[in-house]
Amino acid sequence: REFVSVSKSAPELEVCCGQVAAGWLLAMSKDGRETERQFHLEAFDGGLGGPYETDRIARGNTRVKAQCESILGGIQPARLARYVAGTVHDGNEADGLMPRFQLLVWPESKEMGKGLDRRADAEAEQRVTEIFRKLDAAPNGFAADVEGKLPFLHFAPDAQRLFNWWHEANEMQSKAPGMDDTPAFSAYLTKQQKLVPALALIFHAIEVASGATAGPVSIESLARAIEWARFMEAHARKLYAAELREDVVAAHALHKKILEGRVPDAGLTVREIAYRDWPGLTT
C-alpha cells in the first residue's frame, strides 16, 4: 500500500504506507492546515484557475504557472470509511476534497488471493516505456496555445456531440430529486465533468504517442473515458454507502455491537447508543 504525492510546485516524491495515507487525510482536517488544504483543492483543476503563488519567509516567493498534483496510494477501507463519514451531512471534511479523488477502487471481497507466477510481459513494458518517452519529449505544438494560456485540445465534432449528451445526462443525475439528501455523492458525480475530459485527453495522448494522427480528441478516446467513469461510479457508491444507504450501514454497525456483547439483553435506548459514540451510530 503505497502513498505517492507528486506536485509540480514542490517536486518531491513521497512513498509511504497506507497508514500514513490515512494520517495525511486526517491531518488535512486540523487547524493550521487551511493553506495546504486549499492548495490541494485548487490543484485538482490543473492550473485552470490561474497561476499559484505563495510567499514564505524561509523559502521566499514561489510561483507556479499551472499547479498540477497527482496523489496515488492505498488506504484501509475502514479508515477511509470513517473519513468519508465526515464529508456527509456537512461534516468538517465537506469542502470537496474527498470527491476530488475520482479514481477510487473499493475491494470486492475479503477472499484470499491466489499467487501467480509468470514471466513479465517484456513487449508491453517496452511499449509503455516508449509511450512515456514520446510524451515527455512532445513538442509544444502538440496542443494549441492561445495568448500565453495553458495549451489545450478541442474535441473532434462527433466527440463534442457525445460529450454534450453525456454532460447533460450527468447534470440530470447529479441534480435529480433526492440528491440534496446525498450532497457528498452528488459532488462526486459533478466532479466527473472534470474526470471524463481529462481521461479522454490522456487516452488520446497515448494513442498519438502510439502512432495515431495528432489532432482533436477523438470520439473513441472519449467513449473509453465515459466507460471508465461508469466503472468508477460503481465503486464510489460503495465508498459513499454511509450516505447513500445510511440506514443499512447503521443496521450493520448495530448488529456488530450486538455480536460483540456491547448491547445488554435489556437493550439500549437510541439516546444511550448515540452517547457511546460508536462509528455509524452517532446520530
Side-chain angles (χ1 to χ4, degrees), residues 1-282:
R1 297 175 182 268
E2 294 182 344
F3 173 69
V4 184
S5 178
V6 185
S7 171
K8 288 186 177 180
S9 67
E12 297 91 4
L13 178 65
E14 300 180 7
V15 182
C16 314
C17 64
Q19 189 171 3
V20 176
W24 179 83
L25 278 175
L26 294 176
M28 289 295 101
S29 302
K30 295 182 178 179
D31 294 336
R33 306 292 290 270
E34 292 82 6
T35 302
E36 183 178 347
R37 190 179 182 95
Q38 187 61 35
F39 171 82
H40 295 301
L41 291 171
E42 294 180 6
F44 175 78
D45 294 330
L48 293 179
Y52 177 84
E53 191 167 3
T54 180
D55 285 295
R56 294 184 180 179
I57 298 178
R59 300 182 181 180
N61 178 268
T62 300
R63 189 175 189 276
V64 183
K65 180 181 179 181
Q67 74 272 27
C68 181
E69 182 181 44
S70 296
I71 300 177
L72 315 173
I75 185 173
Q76 294 87 345
R79 288 176 175 267
L80 186 58
R82 287 195 292 270
Y83 182 86
V84 171
T87 69
V88 303
H89 304 308
D90 295 324
N92 295 331
E93 293 82 7
D95 61 353
L97 178 62
M98 196 65 225
R100 281 166 164 77
F101 289 90
Q102 289 279 301
L103 299 177
L104 284 171
V105 179
W106 195 263
E108 292 292 340
S109 66
K110 297 182 179 180
E111 296 179 1
M112 293 292 293
K114 297 181 179 179
L116 181 63
D117 185 9
R118 67 183 180 188
R119 187 181 301 275
D121 190 334
E123 183 178 348
E125 181 179 0
Q126 177 63 29
R127 184 187 176 203
V128 169
T129 302
E130 188 64 24
I131 288 175
F132 273 111
R133 287 174 176 170
K134 288 183 178 180
L135 291 177
D136 184 53
N140 293 332
F142 179 79
D145 191 343
V146 179
E147 299 178 356
K149 296 182 180 180
L150 293 177
F152 64 91
L153 287 176
H154 286 291
F155 282 124
D158 55 352
Q160 184 64 58
R161 289 191 293 271
L162 175 60
F163 180 77
N164 292 343
W165 169 84
W166 175 86
H167 186 274
E168 182 179 354
N170 178 269
E171 283 280 303
M172 293 177 62
Q173 182 183 9
S174 61
K175 297 179 180 179
M179 291 303 290
D180 289 342
D181 298 330
T182 57
F185 182 68
S186 179
Y188 171 87
L189 292 176
T190 300
K191 286 176 174 53
Q192 281 192 337
Q193 296 174 12
K194 157 70 185 303
L195 172 69
V196 167
L199 286 179
L201 179 61
I202 291 173
F203 296 149
H204 175 72
I206 292 174
E207 291 297 326
V208 173
S210 301
T213 303
V217 177
S218 67
I219 189 173
E220 290 81 10
S221 295
L222 175 59
R224 185 177 292 116
I226 292 175
E227 286 301 314
W228 264 87
R230 290 173 178 169
F231 174 76
M232 302 315 303
E233 180 186 335
H235 285 271
R237 288 184 176 276
K238 300 177 183 178
L239 177 66
Y240 293 100
E243 182 181 64
L244 296 173
R245 305 178 63 192
E246 188 173 19
D247 53 345
V248 177
V249 172
H252 281 290
L254 181 59
H255 177 238
K256 181 178 180 181
K257 295 301 179 183
I258 293 174
L259 293 180
E260 292 174 352
R262 307 287 292 277
V263 180
D265 291 343
L268 295 172
T269 65
V270 173
R271 181 183 182 89
E272 290 172 329
I273 292 176
Y275 180 77
R276 282 162 169 74
D277 199 32
W278 289 333
L281 295 169
T282 56

